[in-house]
Amino acid sequence: MKLSDRVQDGVVVLEPKGKIMGGPDASLLHDKLYDYIKQNKKKVVVDLAQVDWMNSTGLGILISGYTTLRNNDGMLKLANVTDKIQSLLTITKLISVFDAYDSVDDAISAFK
């Protein structure tokens, strides 16, 4: 997995690319979230448009990010959830945990 990040309208946008399968991916996302939390940036959107697939470890990474932010008075939202990831979230019933939006702009607007 590759991870790029940017700040748009005061909201951190994380853009993972490829497969989220665990291993070093877990610490990459975790460390990036903590870097932003230390900067007092606690509104995060994860753009899943370029994520090909994730396994249960990948889901754990998202849940970990979600709880890390919640425990630090922040919030994580998902954007551009692909059909594959949508079905994974539905099967695992995590679709009710995450706020998911059709675009990054919609997710950012939801913070206002």
Side-chain angles (χ1 to χ4, degrees), residues 1-5 14-17 28-30 32 46:
M1 174 186 81
K2 293 182 179 179
L3 181 66
S4 59
D5 60 299
L14 298 177
E15 299 169 321
K17 295 179 184 172
L28 181 65
L29 183 62
H30 182 267
K32 185 62 73 178
V46 178

Side-chain angles (χ1 to χ4, degrees), residues 58-73:
L59 286 173
I61 292 169
L62 284 182
I63 293 168
S64 173
Y66 178 84
T67 54
T68 297
L69 281 163
R70 293 248 347 196
N71 291 338
N72 287 280
D73 300 320

Side-chain angles (χ1 to χ4, degrees), residues 29-102:
L29 183 62
H30 182 267
D31 292 349
K32 185 62 73 178
L33 282 174
Y34 268 101
D35 286 347
Y36 278 113
I37 288 169
K38 286 178 185 173
Q39 298 171 34
N40 205 30
K41 297 185 185 307
K42 299 175 182 175
K43 297 176 182 176
V44 175
V45 173
V46 178
D47 182 357
L48 296 174
Q50 298 186 53
V51 173
D52 301 325
W53 182 245
M54 72 173 64
N55 62 9
S56 59
T57 305
L59 286 173
I61 292 169
L62 284 182
I63 293 168
S64 173
Y66 178 84
T67 54
T68 297
L69 281 163
R70 293 248 347 196
N71 291 338
N72 287 280
D73 300 320
M75 181 58 75
L76 182 145
K77 298 180 185 296
L78 302 179
N80 297 316
V81 179
T82 63
D83 289 343
K84 285 182 182 177
I85 306 299
Q86 175 85 22
S87 63
L88 191 61
L89 292 172
T90 302
I91 290 168
T92 57
K93 301 191 185 308
L94 290 173
I95 195 72
S96 61
V97 173
F98 293 104
D99 292 336
Y101 298 88
D102 291 339

